[in-house]
Amino acid sequence: MEVVAVLGEKIAALRRKRKMRQEDLARLLGVSRQAISNYEKGERYPDPQMLSRLAKTFNVSSDYLLDLTDNPN
């Protein structure tokens, strides 16, 4: 599976696990709901700074988001 698709699935799963809406995550990160939707659908890839912010928000490693490891820490 393509890295962008896996990344999107992980973002969506982590967001749902925390009972957040796309709007909630977007507000927290200072982006539009559409940006979050695009990340989750694999239509857009977050830049390195946003990837880092996503990892910090969900308390996981960037490597986990990029599917380089199964260990979220």
Side-chain angles (χ1 to χ4, degrees):
M1 186 179 285
E2 194 174 326
V3 171
V4 176
V6 172
L7 174 63
E9 289 177 7
K10 289 195 176 196
I11 292 170
L14 289 164
R15 177 181 57 76
R16 286 196 286 278
K17 183 177 179 182
R18 287 162 179 74
K19 299 185 188 319
M20 296 173 78
R21 299 173 302 155
Q22 287 180 339
E23 293 85 356
D24 301 326
L25 181 57
R27 192 174 313 113
L28 189 61
L29 296 172
V31 298
S32 68
R33 187 211 53 83
Q34 188 62 46
I36 300 301
S37 176
N38 287 341
Y39 296 155
E40 291 184 1
K41 291 188 289 185
E43 293 177 359
R44 184 173 170 205
Y45 187 80
D47 64 28
Q49 290 173 326
M50 181 57 67
L51 184 64
S52 176
R53 290 172 61 197
L54 284 161
K56 287 178 184 175
T57 297
F58 293 124
N59 198 31
V60 298
S61 70
S62 296
D63 284 350
Y64 176 75
L65 290 175
L66 294 172
D67 204 36
L68 299 174
T69 180
D70 291 332
N71 182 354
N73 301 317

